[in-house]
Amino acid sequence: MCFRFKISILFLLVITVLTGCWSRRELNDLAIVVAIGIDQAENGQYLVSAQVVNPAEIASQSGSGAGTINYSPITTYQAKADTIVEALRKITTVSPRKIYVSHIRMLVIGEEVAKNGIANVLDFFSRDHEFRTDFFITVTKDTTAEKVLSVYTELEKIPANKLFNSLEMSERYWAPTRGVFLDELLSDLILEGKEPVLTAITITGDYETGEEETNVQEIIQDAQLKYENIGVFKKDKLVGWLNTEESKGFNYITGTVNNTVGHMSCPDGGKFSKEQIVAKSKITPKIVNGKPEIFVHIWTESNIAEVNCQIDLSKMETIKQLEKLASGEIEKHANLAIEKAQKEFQSDIFGFGDLIYRKNPKTWKKLKDHWDEAFSAMPVHVKVDVHIRRFGTIENSFLEELNSTSEEKESE
Amino acid sequence: MRRIKRKRKQKQSVSSNRNAHPSTNQETGRNRLLLSPSIKDNIEQIQRSIGPSSDVTIRQFCSQKGGDADIAIIFIDGMVNENIISDFIITPIMGKVELLRHSLSPLFDLEQKILQVGNVKRISEFESLYTSILSGDTVILLDKITEGIVIDTKSWEGRGVTEAQAQTVIRGPHEGFTEALRVNTSLIRRRIKDKNLCIETKQIGTRTKTEVAIIYIKDIADEKIVQEVRNRLEHIQLDGILDSGNIEELIQDNTFTPFPTIQNSERPDSTSAGILEGRVAIIVDGSPYALLVPALFIQFLQSPEDYYQRLGYGFIRFLRYVSVFISLLAPSLYIAITTFHQEMLKTTLLISIAAQREGIPFPAFVEALIMEITFELLREAGIRMPRAIGPAISIVGALVLGEAAVGASLVSPAMVIVVSITAIAGFTFPTFSIGIPFRILRFGLMVLAATFGLFGIIVGLIAVILHLCSLQSFGVPYMYPFAPLEMNDQKDAVIRFPKWMMKSRPKPFTKWNQVRMGNSYALNNRKNKR
């Protein structure tokens, strides 16, 4: 009995030292940060903006009654310091609660910081134990992170959630964006023969009104947060942007298009749209005459989404023709992206170098030291297979009948 | 070791009893008092011992004119069937008083020719005479004869067989045990008409002299276990046994554990099922709860309904295992996650919980403690209060504590939900007594959660599991068939397998006759093939 007692005391003592890193924090002592923005300040300092949730306002059902103050659902605290972690701690001088970063949804990096290099910024995010790695990282275009984090948004009261969901949805249904998590970004940074990309976020409309609460009281918001373009990095520095078409081509090549729509011109004028439902890509590096060449094969399945021209969809030849048109369109986008990456940025965002390394390490060893030049000069062959599967609920467009009846009337 | 200690303690308590009541010593002394030839002396002796009580009736009459009373009939009013006494004892004796007077062996004549009753026996000691009278028998004494006749006339008002109160089922027998031992044994006998069903009876309690029956099936039950039950019952030297709970506490393996190691049942059908498995039932006169030993942890989560409903219902049992964990862990998990591991929650969930906690003045642990204690109070009040004021408690509980506490921002709605789920989970156990350890341990885990977070909960759980695995019930490991793991008996553990698959009895209860099912397995297969 005495022995047991001693053992249990021992266990209790062991428990107290074994707990590792922990601390008891009541929920109402935490400032839950949902987004962090990082801008360049003077003297090499960083301006860190932390978007903090005001839980009571988010979850209030009754709304604001008469006489009560209408609190903003979020607050953005800011601090300037030489390092990120310092700035975040400094925020306690303005925030009543301790900053709690486990739940951040977005990391917004200012354009200026991105141009100077993001490696220094990312160290803290990968080192600190509080972070989960499931937040998206974006880079601002033509604006600052501070501004992006102070715009009122509709539907999602928390702007960070809006940014997160919007990026997730646009990646899934529109394609020319790319949601990048921390681990993905870090591995792209480190990997030889692959360069990172980040989707760009901008503010459209008037930023000044976006900062006001009235922004969300209007039906068409004055200022909105919008994803546009993909920022191309070389090492950890931002070197330029891919526009919408190039971004789409980039995603086609990397096989990350999930679902998208795109329009093409019909053979006899007019336009039609197809909805992408499946897209796969296969990239095979080959050594031709001692020099590497890349063969990209994109295979997609599509549905006809919209027809604004007179074509006979019931005929097999028409479908073949449309498939050819669509292939051409995708090929065009892909080539645009490749050309820009090769000629303008000399940045291997597709990871061709990595594929060569995997397929043929010896060749890669030779190429490694002058990969940028080799990449720019490397021939890339894109081949696209489009298969049109379905037309939707109608076959031929009623436009045809509409036109024919009006012609008949005219002839009468 | 522990048992030896207990024995020593019992001895001590007995000896202290002796000091306090010297008369007890006399009555149970070695020089047993025998009946004297003089009926006068005998009656005086009886009157001295039990006579002062008003319900002791001594009916005397004489067999010849002018003589002293030479026949006495003694019984206790209210514990006998007066019709039997007047119609089948007094009337025949008076009618054949001449025969009795001239008889050479009057006791033999009484037994053989006069008394028209079933159960008759002779006694010659005062001690057993008192016991008989006090348990409702009628005693006939004759002058000049040192033996008396005891006639079984027991009959008293008792509760009829009614529906089981605490262990209810939808489908299956609704009968429950009553307070009368013989009714209870008959309820079992009626279910098991086996010649090997043994009902051993012994009296326990130096003063209450309570009848206790040990019931088992001779060729199924493990003789070692039966002997162990007899031994442990033998060692009880308490003055009074008022319920099977008294016995349970004196014969259980381990007093200082929150977990019950003896199963109780108020249902004749589940008790019979236990006996058929090879377990031993102990029924105590005056208690509607039978004890079943040995008891396994899983048996506390088995409802008779699992076997009466179709197979699908057997899966419902799994829910009870889930509710074990909810009942034990829900509040402590809530505390641990909201105060230590906020990163484990989904962002939207975190924000909505955080919003509810805005303005709550207490830490989550205190909040949980307040709500848990309040609920335990309500529950206790619900059992103790008079039936008539039941609705008042529910109004106070639901409105004042639920609504108003949340409205006043003293408690967060999420906490109310957690406590309610915990409470509901606690009510899913078929046996009330298995809920108690979880209620107790819950508080300990809450303290651990509030100080060490999930780490503390895991350490606490490991401690609980280690403790459970160390328990034994009458030599059978408590956590059987999980620890030690026995694949064959998993068929009746977490979920119930089809009846035809459970061909053998649970191993630890029986050393022989393990097969309980004959050809129905084959029959079932043949039918399926057709």
Side-chain angles (χ1 to χ4, degrees):
Chain A
M1 201 64 198
C2 194
F3 175 71
R4 270 197 197 176
F5 184 69
K6 277 179 192 165
I7 284 284
S8 45
I9 292 286
L10 191 73
F11 267 110
L12 281 176
L13 284 176
V14 167
I15 286 178
T16 51
V17 294
L18 269 184
T19 44
C21 60
W22 66 280
S23 57
R24 204 174 75 87
R25 308 160 291 205
E26 289 298 332
L27 274 181
N28 33 9
D29 296 336
L30 294 179
I32 303 167
V33 179
V34 283
I36 293 179
I38 294 163
D39 286 309
Q40 195 72 51
E42 320 78 57
N43 310 329
Q45 284 192 319
Y46 292 114
L47 171 65
V48 175
S49 319
Q51 194 171 78
V52 171
V53 176
N54 182 359
E57 198 56 35
I58 297 288
S60 69
Q61 295 152 346
S62 52
S64 47
T68 55
I69 312 166
N70 224 346
Y71 290 102
S72 158
I74 50 116
T75 312
T76 299
Y77 292 113
Q78 291 182 320
K80 271 182 208 167
D82 287 303
T83 54
I84 312 288
V85 63
E86 255 182 298
L88 277 176
R89 287 294 166 91
K90 216 168 164 185
I91 280 174
T92 45
T93 55
V94 284
S95 150
R97 298 176 180 182
K98 188 192 173 283
I99 292 294
Y100 176 70
V101 292
S102 284
H103 279 276
I104 71 167
R105 315 304 291 143
M106 296 298 300
L107 170 61
V108 182
I109 297 174
E111 195 175 349
E112 211 177 324
V113 176
K115 279 178 177 158
N116 293 339
I118 54 172
N120 293 336
V121 172
L122 294 177
D123 179 77
F124 167 65
F125 289 91
S126 58
R127 189 181 299 277
D128 193 84
H129 72 274
E130 260 189 6
F131 286 105
R132 311 203 298 198
T133 53
D134 65 342
F135 53 89
F136 282 139
I137 302 171
T138 61
V139 59
T140 61
K141 182 170 182 264
D142 306 330
T143 179
T144 60
E146 169 199 11
K147 283 181 179 169
V148 167
L149 294 187
S150 47
V151 172
Y152 272 93
T153 56
E154 193 45 280
L155 275 185
E156 287 284 354
K157 278 187 182 173
I158 303 171
N161 271 357
K162 180 236 131 77
L163 288 176
F164 186 89
N165 293 341
S166 177
L167 185 50
E168 208 174 25
M169 288 300 144
S170 66
E171 188 186 12
R172 197 179 296 166
Y173 296 111
W174 180 232
T177 54
R178 174 69 87 83
V180 180
F181 286 143
L182 180 65
D183 44 352
E184 197 182 336
L185 177 61
L186 288 178
S187 76
D188 284 359
L189 267 174
I190 298 161
L191 216 60
E192 289 178 324
K194 191 164 190 203
E195 302 294 344
V197 292
L198 289 177
T199 304
I201 178 91
T202 53
I203 301 172
T204 62
D206 183 11
Y207 164 69
E208 298 297 325
T209 43
E211 231 184 350
E212 303 290 324
E213 199 193 346
T214 49
N215 191 37
V216 288
Q217 288 171 351
E218 282 166 39
I219 290 172
I220 297 179
Q221 287 179 268
D222 281 337
Q224 274 179 330
L225 297 170
K226 186 181 172 190
Y227 288 106
E228 207 169 35
N229 304 351
I230 288 181
V232 177
F233 283 71
K234 192 161 179 183
K235 295 291 166 203
D236 68 329
K237 291 186 174 63
L238 178 70
V239 289
W241 312 97
L242 297 179
N243 66 22
T244 310
E245 285 178 344
E246 291 153 0
S247 305
K248 213 170 184 177
F250 164 68
N251 276 328
Y252 268 124
I253 292 171
T254 51
T256 42
V257 174
N258 197 349
N259 191 325
T260 184
V261 293
H263 75 267
M264 273 132 275
S265 306
C266 295
D268 312 324
K271 280 170 185 171
F272 80 95
S273 278
K274 62 160 179 54
E275 185 197 5
Q276 197 76 55
I277 47 171
V278 182
K280 290 173 189 163
S281 91
K282 196 171 181 222
I283 308 173
T284 19
K286 275 182 190 161
I287 311 297
V288 181
N289 301 332
K291 288 196 171 169
E293 282 184 30
I294 296 285
F295 291 84
V296 181
H297 184 209
I298 300 167
W299 185 93
T300 73
E301 270 184 34
S302 306
N303 295 339
I304 301 285
E306 201 177 332
V307 178
N308 293 337
C309 58
Q310 292 188 17
I311 40 172
D312 191 359
L313 288 172
S314 58
K315 280 183 185 150
M316 202 59 204
E317 299 87 69
T318 327
I319 302 298
K320 287 278 179 235
Q321 209 173 5
L322 292 183
E323 281 177 353
K324 215 171 202 175
L325 277 169
S327 312
E329 191 73 14
I330 293 174
E331 217 175 300
K332 197 180 88 192
H333 288 164
N335 282 329
L336 277 173
I338 292 166
E339 207 178 298
K340 200 152 190 184
Q342 282 184 326
K343 299 281 143 24
E344 202 175 328
F345 307 130
Q346 301 197 335
S347 166
D348 181 11
I349 48 176
F350 310 100
F352 290 154
D354 185 43
L355 286 166
I356 293 175
Y357 166 64
R358 286 188 201 187
K359 183 103 185 211
N360 205 333
K362 281 179 189 164
T363 320
W364 172 245
K365 250 182 195 170
K366 277 184 255 163
L367 288 170
K368 205 164 82 175
D369 296 328
H370 53 276
W371 173 239
D372 287 344
E373 296 83 58
F375 169 71
S376 313
M378 188 171 61
V380 179
H381 312 278
V382 180
K383 191 189 163 209
V384 183
D385 272 349
V386 176
H387 300 274
I388 291 175
R389 303 293 192 202
R390 282 165 283 264
F391 313 136
T393 50
I394 54 173
E395 198 177 60
N396 279 336
S397 177
F398 60 86
L399 287 171
E400 203 174 335
E401 285 171 40
L402 189 77
N403 288 347
S404 59
T405 45
S406 57
E407 273 165 23
E408 272 166 32
K409 268 179 193 170
E410 275 167 21
S411 64
E412 276 168 18
Chain B
M1 171 88 169
R2 191 169 289 144
R3 199 167 305 142
I4 294 171
K5 268 187 194 166
R6 200 170 64 203
K7 275 181 201 165
R8 206 180 297 148
K9 267 184 200 163
Q10 280 175 358
K11 270 178 197 162
Q12 279 168 0
S13 68
V14 167
S15 61
S16 64
N17 248 353
R18 273 179 200 157
N19 296 338
H21 307 282
S23 59
T24 322
N25 191 18
Q26 266 178 20
E27 283 164 20
T28 55
R30 217 167 282 160
N31 310 330
R32 283 178 289 190
L33 212 52
L34 299 176
L35 289 169
S36 82
S38 155
I39 192 169
K40 218 170 151 189
D41 288 354
N42 287 340
I43 287 172
E44 267 173 26
Q45 174 70 32
I46 290 168
Q47 266 172 340
R48 259 207 308 281
S49 302
I50 58 173
S53 301
S54 60
D55 55 349
V56 177
T57 311
I58 304 176
R59 171 85 163 84
Q60 302 181 55
F61 49 91
C62 44
S63 56
Q64 58 198 33
K65 252 183 204 168
D68 285 335
D70 53 3
I71 303 175
I73 297 175
I74 308 153
F75 58 89
I76 293 199
D77 196 16
M79 289 187 71
V80 296
N81 188 338
E82 303 227 9
N83 287 339
I84 294 179
I85 292 179
S86 64
D87 293 355
F88 304 112
I89 298 174
I90 296 180
T91 315
I93 289 177
M94 287 191 162
K96 294 189 176 167
V97 78
E98 286 298 314
L99 176 94
L100 203 59
R101 183 151 51 105
H102 300 298
S103 168
L104 290 173
S105 55
L107 281 183
F108 179 80
D109 284 340
L110 260 181
E111 277 179 4
Q112 299 295 322
K113 297 179 179 165
I114 300 173
L115 294 174
Q116 304 171 352
V117 288
N119 197 344
V120 174
K121 65 179 187 225
R122 297 186 190 188
I123 47 165
S124 57
E125 289 167 21
F126 271 107
E127 188 49 39
S128 46
L129 181 141
Y130 294 143
T131 312
S132 302
I133 294 174
L134 291 172
S135 51
D137 292 344
T138 301
V139 173
I140 302 177
L141 295 179
L142 298 176
D143 198 20
K144 297 190 183 66
I145 287 171
T146 59
E147 275 185 311
I149 284 184
V150 176
I151 304 153
D152 187 358
T153 53
K154 291 188 197 81
S155 163
W156 55 80
E157 290 304 313
R159 202 160 58 91
V161 175
T162 53
E163 200 163 319
Q165 297 287 312
Q167 299 166 0
T168 49
V169 294
I170 305 266
R171 181 170 170 185
H174 285 205
E175 275 179 338
F177 283 132
T178 70
E179 279 77 5
L181 177 76
R182 278 299 156 219
V183 175
N184 293 348
T185 55
S186 74
L187 285 173
I188 289 174
R189 184 70 90 179
R190 232 171 55 200
R191 283 177 170 76
I192 309 173
K193 298 178 193 74
D194 184 5
K195 66 178 191 311
N196 286 316
L197 181 76
C198 288
I199 305 182
E200 293 176 13
T201 325
K202 56 176 59 160
Q203 281 186 351
I204 299 179
T206 46
R207 286 184 187 276
T208 56
K209 300 200 168 55
T210 311
E211 297 256 321
V212 175
I214 306 171
I215 308 177
Y216 58 94
I217 296 179
K218 218 186 323 180
D219 58 346
I220 299 176
D222 186 350
E223 184 53 36
K224 266 192 207 152
I225 292 172
V226 178
Q227 193 52 47
E228 182 68 28
V229 174
R230 286 193 203 112
N231 284 348
R232 292 192 191 181
L233 288 177
E234 210 65 62
H235 282 294
I236 297 176
Q237 295 195 352
L238 204 63
D239 62 340
I241 302 289
L242 297 175
D243 184 80
S244 56
N246 295 146
I247 287 194
E248 176 179 351
E249 215 178 313
L250 290 171
I251 64 171
Q252 66 192 354
D253 289 66
N254 193 348
T255 308
F256 297 105
T257 171
F259 293 93
T261 49
I262 294 178
Q263 197 188 347
N264 59 62
S265 170
E266 63 166 342
R267 304 178 52 82
D269 56 328
S270 56
T271 309
S272 305
I275 293 169
L276 284 172
E277 276 182 341
R279 299 158 77 198
V280 182
I282 302 166
I283 297 185
V284 178
D285 193 28
S287 169
Y289 280 89
L291 304 178
L292 274 170
V293 293
L296 307 179
F297 178 77
I298 56 162
Q299 284 169 333
F300 289 92
L301 299 176
Q302 296 171 346
S303 165
E305 185 129 23
D306 296 348
Y307 305 95
Y308 301 151
Q309 296 280 10
R310 292 190 66 251
L311 187 64
Y313 196 81
F315 291 93
I316 303 273
R317 186 188 283 170
F318 180 73
L319 268 185
R320 297 190 204 115
Y321 285 85
V322 175
S323 68
V324 164
F325 286 98
I326 294 177
S327 173
L328 192 60
L329 294 177
S332 41
L333 276 180
Y334 178 82
I335 292 170
I337 290 175
T338 57
T339 53
F340 287 93
H341 317 287
Q342 290 94 349
E343 65 276 4
M344 284 177 69
L345 293 171
K346 200 174 149 50
T347 308
T348 41
L349 180 61
L350 178 80
I351 289 169
S352 87
I353 292 177
Q356 293 173 21
R357 278 203 51 84
E358 285 297 310
I360 307 281
F362 309 111
F365 170 63
V366 176
E367 198 189 343
L369 208 60
I370 292 174
M371 285 308 285
E372 279 295 334
I373 290 175
T374 313
F375 171 71
E376 290 297 329
L377 286 177
L378 269 177
R379 171 143 128 168
E380 190 59 19
I383 302 170
R384 305 294 154 228
M385 77 194 161
R387 293 265 179 274
I389 50 172
I393 281 286
S394 43
I395 288 169
V396 170
L399 289 182
V400 179
L401 295 169
E403 286 281 328
V406 170
S409 288
L410 293 176
V411 176
S412 62
M415 183 55 81
V416 175
I417 293 170
V418 168
V419 172
S420 317
I421 288 178
T422 315
I424 292 167
F427 288 127
T428 56
F429 304 128
T431 320
F432 178 75
S433 53
I434 198 67
I436 298 167
F438 301 129
R439 277 159 73 183
I440 298 166
L441 293 173
R442 186 189 301 154
F443 288 95
L445 284 172
M446 275 160 62
V447 173
L448 280 175
T451 44
F452 302 113
L454 272 184
F455 182 76
I457 295 182
I458 297 298
V459 169
L461 259 187
I462 291 173
V464 170
I465 289 170
L466 282 180
H467 172 69
L468 273 172
C469 291
S470 76
L471 287 178
Q472 284 203 337
S473 173
F474 285 76
V476 176
Y478 192 50
M479 285 311 276
Y480 185 91
F482 303 130
L485 188 70
E486 174 61 57
M487 293 318 285
N488 209 32
D489 284 338
Q490 299 291 338
K491 291 172 187 166
D492 199 14
V494 180
I495 50 171
R496 175 178 83 80
F497 278 49
K499 198 84 183 161
W500 52 264
M501 284 177 83
M502 295 191 277
K503 262 187 103 176
S504 59
R505 303 195 161 86
K507 259 183 200 157
F509 305 141
T510 168
K511 292 280 173 283
W512 51 80
N513 253 330
Q514 292 202 328
V515 176
R516 63 174 151 196
M517 189 167 290
N519 289 328
S520 53
Y521 171 70
L523 198 77
N524 208 310
N525 264 5
R526 210 182 309 135
K527 267 182 198 164
N528 287 345
K529 271 173 194 164
R530 226 176 271 166

